[in-house]
Amino acid sequence: MQFKHPEILYFLFLLLIPVLVHLFQLRRFKTEYFTNVRFLKEIEIPSRRTSKIKKWLLLICRLLLLAFIILAFSQPFSKSLVTKNSLNEMYIIVDNSFSMQAKGQKGELFKRTIEDLLEHTPENQNFSLLTNSETFWNTDIKSIRKELQNLDYSAQPFQLESVIAKIKSHKSAYNKELIIITDALGLKPNQIKSIDGNFISYFVIPKAEQKNNLSIDSVFIKENLDDFYEIGIKIKAFGEDFKNIPLALYNKDKLLAKTSVNIDTKEKTVFFTIPKADFHGRATISDNSLPYDNSYYFSISNPGKTNIISIGETEKSSFLSRIYTSDEFNYSNYDIKNLDYNRIEKQDVILINELEEIPQALESTLKDFVEKGGNLILIPYSADTNLNRNSAQILNPILKNFGNIQFLSLENKEKLISKIAFDNPLFKSVFEKQVTNFQFPNTRTSFKIKNSYPAILSYQDQSVFLTAIQNPFSYVYVFASSLNKKNSNFQNSPLIVPTFYNMAENTQKTAVTAIVIGDSKPLLIEASLSKEEIVNVKNKTFDFIPIQQIKSNKVKLNFADNPTIAGNFEIYKKKEFLKNISFNYDRTESDLTPNSENILSNFKIIDTIETVFNTLQANQNKNEIWMWFVLFSLLFLVTEILIQKFVK
């Protein structure tokens, strides 16, 4: 036998009171005068015996009455054969992720779950309720009725191990009883292992009837034209038979285009042409399944001109001026002796072209430049054997600042550049298909590169010609060889223009801005702030201040779990507009087909919430014995009354 409130047992010391009362009966005797005491003497002896027996019986009854009342208040219980302990702290875990938007027999799974909890949870049942986003500790159904009715879906995927960690941190002397209500979508063995073996766990798994679903996966710029962008909207299909699906494209609230799409593959991309200007877009589809992934918000900023500086001899850098033309770029070339360091922080791209020496001041400046979001392009010097070895020694200290890449020895042999990484962002939109009959360029001398990053262009012997180090805000592009005409014919190759053009354009200024809510990847924007100033992000319904760090004329933003709703937003410095930005829900729960019930074989799965509470109530009635102590207390009270009445 165990006690729910063992501290009340200290009141058993009160049993001393009736003992003391019976031992020291502080009665005041009153003298009575009788005419003849002969009759009293005749009944004196039997009266004394009866009185003693009555006193002892009353003492025993009162002791037992008081003891059983105290024991009843301490709520004793016994262990059941069915469960380890039926009087546990109850925790109800409700999955309110977007997959619970799926429709079951009686409507959306999550909304039906809330209705069942409100209907079938006993009013006197104390519990704690946890969802993906909300927590209600030590409450009852009457206290949180309104909050439950207002609960909405969470942008956070259901992570059982995180909820279990919260419960474990809620220290208690009692065992824990879990009711876990989830569609089991995406449950993994490591999440199940987080459930303590001493927990009594019940799973309620509502079923979705319709598992076909469409999701807008992403929006990207396919082609950058003079006055227009050609954008692609990628749609993913989970299931089959998707015909005449409406697809609409909006700029802010204005409908720009609408079409009907038949989707007969797992992925389909639909292309639209939009003006090359600030675009606060929204793409929408309509299907009969999950609504959360039917809209995709994105922003494209008018890029203006890209600022580029190349540092090197004018003659060797002349080919760059033909690529970086004045209609799209602010390009200038500086010799190392005439470099204006103050201009570097205002650039988007810095190109180091065959420098024989790099001053320490420039090395420090380049490190800071890349950290603030600038792209860096490094072309080594390779015209003379002695200088080549010096060139490797000069560039390697710089490369250590950016990643695991180093120049090794120089190879004085001609090599053919014959392999293109078509999936790399640099060439992803350049070729309509993979080509094999291409006029590939070559180099006469080149460095071997120790590199842990994928090659963008490779030699015929699989060694690296061009690779890139990707940083949070920028890229560092590294060539294995110089590109002057004496050493290479790369300048005459059709690859020269898309390679250098995209290296300059592949910055945050020209990309589609569409951030996944909860993604920890930071964003860098151009803004000059004083130490007291901040930027905030807002739209018509939501306003928040992101985590921010000032970096010279730029600001690094981290959004954590904000905002909680998807949509198009604007970034402001006080009342000054800075940039458009868009947020979307994570698409990880768009696929409704995988189900993880098989990993729950060691747990009790119950069909409905009503059945769970009926089962718990039955177990509780079996185990609780405090009501017996109440009955015994009443029995001894009645016994005392009878003794007082009939025992003389």
Side-chain angles (χ1 to χ4, degrees):
M1 186 170 65
Q2 297 180 359
F3 299 90
K4 191 173 183 180
H5 300 291
E7 64 275 6
I8 294 179
L9 294 176
Y10 287 113
F11 286 95
L12 290 173
F13 285 109
L14 296 176
L15 295 176
L16 292 173
I17 295 175
V19 174
L20 293 174
V21 170
H22 281 72
L23 290 177
F24 305 101
Q25 293 189 28
L26 302 177
R27 298 184 186 179
R28 296 183 63 185
F29 294 94
K30 184 178 179 181
T31 304
E32 293 287 343
Y33 295 94
F34 294 89
T35 57
N36 193 338
V37 295
R38 182 171 56 87
F39 300 104
L40 294 176
K41 290 180 179 179
E42 291 178 358
I43 64 171
E44 180 179 2
I45 294 174
S47 296
R48 285 179 181 175
R49 291 175 181 173
T50 305
S51 178
K52 284 184 178 180
I53 294 172
K54 181 178 180 180
K55 288 178 181 178
W56 280 110
L57 288 175
L58 288 174
L59 175 61
I60 293 170
C61 286
R62 289 167 183 171
L63 286 174
L64 290 173
L65 171 63
L66 184 58
F68 277 97
I69 289 175
I70 294 171
L71 290 171
F73 275 102
S74 65
Q75 294 190 27
F77 59 92
S78 63
K79 290 189 175 182
S80 169
L81 296 174
V82 181
T83 62
K84 291 183 180 180
N85 192 338
S86 66
L87 288 181
N88 299 293
E89 287 187 334
M90 180 181 289
Y91 295 86
I92 302 175
I93 301 172
V94 181
D95 178 2
N96 65 329
S97 61
F98 283 119
S99 64
M100 293 285 284
Q101 283 184 333
K103 293 180 176 60
Q105 290 182 349
K106 299 180 180 180
E108 293 184 16
L109 301 182
F110 172 69
K111 291 183 178 179
R112 186 60 198 174
T113 295
I114 296 301
E115 291 175 5
D116 286 345
L117 284 173
L118 293 172
E119 182 179 352
H120 299 297
T121 304
E123 290 190 352
N124 61 346
Q125 176 68 59
N126 188 267
F127 60 88
S128 297
L129 188 140
L130 300 91
T131 71
N132 302 22
S133 52
E134 303 289 340
T135 302
F136 305 94
W137 296 111
N138 297 326
T139 185
D140 56 66
I141 199 66
K142 292 186 293 184
S143 302
I144 61 169
R145 181 177 297 275
K146 186 174 180 180
E147 288 82 355
L148 285 180
Q149 290 171 339
N150 293 330
L151 268 179
D152 204 352
Y153 296 97
S154 169
Q156 304 173 20
F158 182 59
Q159 296 178 339
L160 181 60
E161 70 276 18
S162 299
V163 182
I164 296 296
K166 285 184 183 179
I167 293 174
K168 288 180 178 178
S169 66
H170 202 249
K171 299 296 183 181
S172 166
Y174 312 112
N175 287 339
K176 294 176 170 58
E177 197 162 45
L178 309 184
I179 301 174
I180 304 169
I181 308 168
T182 175
D183 57 4
L185 187 70
L187 276 184
K188 298 177 181 177
N190 63 312
Q191 295 178 310
I192 300 301
K193 289 178 182 178
S194 65
I195 301 176
D196 195 299
N198 294 322
F199 293 177
I200 302 167
S201 304
Y202 302 91
F203 277 86
V204 180
I205 303 179
K207 305 285 186 180
E209 290 190 325
Q210 171 63 268
K211 294 196 173 184
N212 286 352
N213 184 46
L214 287 176
S215 169
I216 300 182
D217 180 70
S218 59
V219 174
F220 61 93
I221 297 175
K222 179 179 183 295
E223 194 168 354
N224 191 341
L225 305 173
D226 291 338
D227 299 315
F228 297 94
Y229 288 122
E230 186 178 5
I231 64 170
I233 301 174
K234 182 188 289 186
I235 303 172
K236 283 190 174 181
F238 304 99
E240 51 189 29
D241 193 25
F242 298 106
K243 295 180 179 179
N244 298 321
I245 302 299
L247 171 62
L249 178 65
Y250 295 83
N251 184 14
K252 296 183 179 177
D253 295 327
K254 183 180 179 181
L255 178 63
L256 291 188
K258 193 170 185 179
T259 186
S260 182
V261 184
N262 292 324
I263 302 174
D264 50 8
T265 57
K266 291 184 178 180
E267 290 184 3
K268 185 157 187 174
T269 303
V270 183
F271 296 99
F272 292 93
T273 300
I274 63 174
K276 196 173 185 179
D278 284 345
F279 197 89
H280 224 183
R282 173 169 59 97
T284 64
I285 57 174
S286 179
D287 65 358
N288 294 321
S289 191
L290 303 182
Y292 92 95
D293 54 8
N294 289 349
S295 294
Y296 192 91
Y297 300 89
F298 64 98
S299 299
I300 303 175
S301 298
N302 187 3
K305 293 185 178 182
T306 303
N307 300 317
I308 301 177
I309 285 180
S310 65
I311 306 173
E313 295 180 13
T314 303
E315 183 180 350
K316 292 181 179 179
S317 303
S318 59
F319 73 97
L320 295 171
S321 61
R322 296 191 294 272
I323 300 172
Y324 301 135
T325 55
S326 59
D327 57 335
E328 294 183 79
F329 301 93
N330 292 320
Y331 169 75
S332 56
N333 180 76
Y334 286 88
D335 188 273
I336 187 64
K337 296 178 182 178
N338 302 319
L339 178 61
D340 183 0
Y341 283 79
N342 294 325
R343 293 196 59 187
I344 289 181
E345 68 175 18
K346 299 178 182 178
Q347 304 305 306
D348 300 307
V349 182
I350 300 294
L351 194 150
I352 304 298
N353 189 18
E354 300 190 44
L355 290 184
E356 298 179 21
E357 296 291 341
I358 296 181
Q360 182 66 38
L362 179 58
E363 181 180 332
S364 302
T365 303
L366 292 177
K367 179 183 178 182
D368 187 56
F369 172 77
V370 172
E371 288 178 352
K372 293 178 179 178
N375 280 8
L376 177 62
I377 304 170
L378 292 175
I379 304 173
Y381 186 92
S382 56
D384 181 281
T385 303
N386 294 328
L387 287 175
N388 265 297
R389 297 188 183 279
N390 292 333
S391 182
Q393 294 170 3
I394 290 167
L395 291 177
N396 283 342
I398 298 177
L399 291 172
K400 283 183 179 179
N401 295 323
F402 308 123
N404 185 21
I405 181 171
Q406 292 285 281
F407 286 108
L408 301 177
S409 60
L410 179 73
E411 294 183 307
N412 288 298
K413 63 178 181 180
E414 186 171 318
K415 297 169 70 174
L416 188 68
I417 304 164
S418 61
K419 186 178 180 182
I420 303 171
F422 293 101
D423 292 333
N424 190 278
L426 212 59
F427 297 122
K428 199 167 185 178
S429 60
V430 173
F431 301 93
E432 292 184 358
K433 60 180 181 178
Q434 297 188 15
V435 293
T436 55
N437 57 343
F438 197 79
Q439 185 180 351
F440 292 106
N442 60 37
T443 62
R444 293 182 177 84
T445 61
S446 60
F447 284 100
K448 284 186 176 180
I449 293 181
K450 181 183 178 182
N451 177 39
S452 59
Y453 307 97
I456 301 172
L457 293 173
S458 303
Y459 287 111
Q460 200 168 22
D461 62 359
Q462 306 303 315
S463 60
V464 174
F465 171 70
L466 172 63
T467 188
I469 305 168
Q470 184 175 359
N471 295 292
F473 305 111
S474 59
Y475 287 84
V476 177
Y477 295 98
V478 181
F479 286 88
S481 169
S482 63
L483 304 182
N484 63 74
K485 292 184 178 180
K486 290 183 180 179
N487 189 59
S488 173
N489 63 350
F490 189 75
Q491 292 188 26
N492 300 324
S493 167
L495 283 173
I496 186 72
V497 173
T499 300
F500 278 88
Y501 185 92
N502 289 334
M503 283 194 292
E505 287 293 322
N506 195 10
T507 66
Q508 293 197 47
K509 290 178 65 175
T510 57
V512 171
T513 304
I515 298 173
V516 175
I517 295 174
D519 190 354
S520 60
K521 186 177 180 181
L523 177 72
L524 202 68
I525 64 169
E526 293 184 2
S528 297
L529 301 179
S530 65
K531 291 183 179 180
E532 293 78 19
E533 289 182 314
I534 60 171
V535 300
N536 66 312
V537 182
K538 63 182 180 180
N539 63 9
K540 293 179 181 179
T541 59
F542 201 89
D543 190 341
F544 69 97
I545 298 173
I547 302 168
Q548 46 200 277
Q549 181 181 0
I550 299 173
K551 289 181 172 289
S552 184
N553 62 334
K554 296 181 180 180
V555 181
K556 176 184 175 183
L557 303 179
N558 286 89
F559 302 100
D561 292 328
N562 279 316
T564 56
I565 56 171
N568 286 325
F569 290 76
E570 295 85 32
I571 303 176
Y572 284 88
K573 183 181 78 172
K574 294 184 178 178
K575 294 184 179 180
E576 180 188 351
F577 170 79
L578 298 177
K579 183 180 175 66
N580 287 327
I581 188 172
S582 300
F583 293 89
N584 292 285
Y585 298 122
D586 195 343
R587 264 48 177 171
T588 53
E589 300 205 347
S590 294
D591 188 359
L592 295 173
T593 53
N595 195 290
S596 308
E597 282 190 56
N598 56 325
I599 66 174
L600 301 175
S601 56
N602 295 329
F603 295 89
K604 184 173 288 187
I605 299 177
I606 299 181
D607 295 336
T608 64
I609 295 172
E610 181 181 10
T611 306
V612 172
F613 284 111
N614 289 340
T615 302
L616 294 176
Q617 188 64 40
N619 290 337
Q620 185 173 352
N621 291 337
K622 282 184 179 180
N623 294 335
E624 292 188 9
I625 59 173
W626 61 268
M627 67 282 294
W628 290 103
F629 286 84
V630 173
L631 292 174
F632 280 119
S633 299
L634 293 174
L635 176 63
F636 287 115
L637 178 62
V638 172
T639 303
E640 181 180 350
I641 294 172
L642 293 174
I643 291 172
Q644 293 277 18
K645 186 173 182 180
F646 295 106
V647 179
K648 301 297 182 180

